[in-house]
Structures are given as C-alpha cells and as structure tokens.
Amino acid sequence: MTEEQTKGRDGSIRVGVLGARGRMGAEVCRAVDGAGDLDLVVAVDQGDDLSALAAAEVVVDFTTPDAVMDNLRWCVEHGVHTVVGTTGFTGQRLDQVRGWLADRPDVGVVIAPNFGIGAVLMMQFAARAARHFESVEIIEQHHPRKLDAPSGTATHTARLVAQARAEAGLGPTPDATRDEVPGARGADVDGVRVHAVRSTGLLAHQEVLFGTLGETLTIRHDSYDRVSFMPGVLLAVRSVRQRPGLTIGLDALLD
Ligand SMILES: NC(=O)C1=CN([C@@H]2O[C@H](COP(=O)(O)OP(=O)(O)OC[C@H]3O[C@@H](n4cnc5c(N)ncnc54)[C@H](O)[C@@H]3O)[C@@H](O)[C@H]2O)C=CC1
Ligand SMILES: O=C(O)C1=N[C@H](C(=O)O)C[C@H](O)C1
C-alpha cells in the first residue's frame, strides 16, 4: 500500500470503531469525529459484518471480554492496526495475540487496560511505591453496569505491584485474618488483595493502599467522565501504525 492509500480522503487516518453503540464506543466515535486528522469511516456493533472494517486503517475496540478476541484476530489477519480498550486480557490471551502477530509482523496492536493519563500515572506511582511497603491492597470502584470484576486496571496494577515486590524480595503481605464469609478479603491477584465496589453514581475509580510501620500511603485516581479516556485513545490511534507488534499499556506512548 502506498502512503497515499493509507490515508483517508482528506489525508487523515481512516478509523473504525468496534462496539460503536456502547458507552465507550460512542464516546470514541465523537472523539474521532472531532479530530481533524482522523476520519471515522466505519462504526460496527454486535451483529454487524466485520468485513466492513476493511475500510479502516486503525480499528478501536471497546466491546466485551467475550467478543474481543474474535474481533482482534479478524483485524490482525486482515492487516488492520488495532487499539484495544476492552478488558479481560490474561497472560494466555496476550500470548495468543503475539502468535497472530507473528504471522503479520506489519500490524500494530495496542492493548491498554486504562487510557486515562492519570490512571497510567497512578499505576506507575503504585509500581514505584510497592517495594517500600509491607502491606498493599487495591480498591476499585465502578458503575454497576460494568460486566467484569476485578477491573482490568486493578488486575494490571496488582500484577505490576506483585512484580515490584518480587524484585525487591518482599514476601507475602502480613495477614492473620481468617475469612468468616468467603470473599470478605477480596480477590487474590498475584498475591495482592483486590476489592471491587459497584455503585450507582460511580464511573471508574481506584485506590492503591500501601502500609508500613506507623504510616500508610494512598494513591487514588478518579475518572468522572468517559472523556477522560479520549486523549489516550487518540494518542494510541495516531501511534499504532508506527508500532508493529504488541504494545501493552500507554506508558511507552507517553515517554
Ligand atoms: N481501557 C480503558 O480505558 C477503558 C476500558 N473499558 C472497557 O471497555 C469495554 C466496554 O465498556 P463499555 O463501553 O462501558 O461497555 P458497553 O456494554 O457500553 O459497550 C460494549 C458494546 O460492545 C458491543 N458488542 C458486544 N459484542 C460485540 C461484538 N461481537 N462485535 C461488536 N460489538 C459488540 C455491545 O453491543 C455494546 O454496544 C469493557 O471491557 C470496559 O471494561 C471501559 C472504559 C475505559
Ligand atoms: O468498564 C469500565 O467502565 C472501565 N473499565 C476499565 C477497567 O476495567 O479497568 C477501565 C476503567 O476502569 C473503566
């Protein structure tokens, strides 16, 4: 494909959105529409034919953990760069994506559990703090229509914190409690307790609570509106064509 063919009619990047009728997908459609250098050429939701996505150079997926793998596989196999915000990416799923990309080394995929710039920094700060505290717990809070728990952000944070603790030689967090009711101590993600709160009035919030002798440190991030994710999504859309292979998280794009 020539440079001219990879651009939209007015020289902009041709963008497709998967999950376009959803809360995030609709917000992404508005953001792409409002960006002078991007051209929204196709909007697809459940039941629509994926082949329409061939019109796009970059597809953005905000669907569901059940749907995302089939969508992503289609995009990679058809040479479409993809930006994924949908959650549910286990290590096994990421390995599958790497396998598809091995057959299409020209394609870029960015998968980020959270596109909020503040949330990315919150995760970085948590990873940095982790080695200094013997205790750590994560409390994520979301709107009640969220399908998955714990959130992708909380799971990713727990993995980063667990990795930093392991590198620092820290053992398990101290905890003598016996669960009187199953689940009372939250979920265990790589040895880090994660608590998921769902309530009307919330959107997307997370606290990482660290503790050591005589002090605690709380790192908190709040998304009050889905527009908070849009600068990160647009950054990924503009960057993904120059990043063949798999990029996890926004960190590398912000550096
Ligand atoms: N990475 C990030 O910064 C963020 C990630 N998310 C994640 O994005 C995902 C979507 O969240 P919401 O927009 O709140 O959900 P939603 O339920 O409002 O939207 C999902 C949309 O996907 C559609 N869909 C389902 N299966 C499909 C398929 N096979 N093909 C095409 N479309 C399909 C649904 O009909 C719906 O319109 C969730 O996994 C959520 O956790 C949400 C906010 C920010
Ligand atoms: O479903 C949501 O709303 C969100 N999902 C992502 C997650 O699971 O971490 C990102 C953000 O928390 C909003």
Side-chain angles (χ1 to χ4, degrees):
M1 223 177 230
T2 67
E3 180 69 8
E4 269 322 293
Q5 285 169 314
T6 63
K7 308 238 170 163
R9 267 193 304 268
D10 58 355
S12 51
I13 304 169
R14 297 190 310 274
V15 181
V17 176
L18 260 164
R21 287 196 292 273
R23 289 176 288 270
M24 282 298 290
E27 195 70 53
V28 172
C29 289
R30 278 190 288 278
V32 170
D33 257 344
D37 60 332
L38 307 178
D39 191 6
L40 181 64
V41 293
V42 54
V44 168
D45 205 279
Q46 195 162 22
D48 296 338
D49 190 353
L50 288 186
S51 63
L53 296 171
E57 214 178 331
V58 177
V59 160
V60 181
D61 185 299
F62 280 97
T63 58
T64 69
D66 285 346
V68 66
M69 291 303 276
D70 286 346
N71 293 340
L72 184 48
R73 181 175 196 159
W74 189 96
C75 289
V76 172
E77 286 180 354
H78 288 80
V80 180
H81 306 288
T82 314
V83 172
V84 182
T86 308
T87 47
F89 278 88
T90 57
Q92 197 185 4
R93 282 186 166 206
L94 293 172
D95 283 343
Q96 259 184 287
V97 177
R98 288 187 187 97
W100 303 332
L101 285 166
D103 294 331
R104 286 303 304 242
D106 53 320
V107 175
V109 172
V110 175
I111 300 176
N114 200 312
F115 284 97
I117 305 301
V120 174
L121 292 172
M122 175 262 293
M123 289 185 266
Q124 290 180 0
F125 297 158
R128 180 161 178 211
R131 70 187 173 93
H132 300 289
F133 294 87
E134 63 179 23
S135 291
V136 56
E137 306 229 349
I138 296 173
I139 306 101
E140 57 99 324
Q141 305 184 354
H142 282 83
H143 59 93
R145 288 192 290 171
K146 183 166 177 57
L147 295 180
D148 54 323
S151 71
T153 308
T155 302
H156 191 66
T157 311
R159 288 182 187 140
L160 293 175
V161 164
Q163 189 186 335
R165 287 177 66 90
E167 283 167 10
L170 293 182
T173 54
D175 183 1
T177 310
R178 186 187 68 223
D179 271 18
E180 297 296 341
V181 177
R185 291 287 293 112
D188 181 325
V189 180
D190 288 1
V192 178
R193 291 284 164 183
V194 180
H195 310 268
V197 177
R198 298 290 176 265
S199 172
T200 301
L202 295 174
L203 199 137
H205 317 262
Q206 179 167 298
E207 283 185 11
V208 188
L209 173 62
F210 291 101
T212 188
L213 294 176
E215 61 174 329
T216 63
L217 169 68
T218 304
I219 302 174
R220 182 179 172 106
H221 174 260
D222 299 273
S223 271
Y224 299 107
D225 192 300
R226 290 185 178 83
V227 295
S228 61
F229 304 113
M230 294 307 116
V233 171
L234 297 190
L235 173 65
V237 168
R238 291 178 177 122
S239 310
V240 67
R241 297 174 309 162
Q242 283 83 48
R243 302 189 67 85
L246 178 60
T247 303
I248 299 170
L250 266 200
D251 309 67
L253 279 60
L254 291 171
D255 286 345

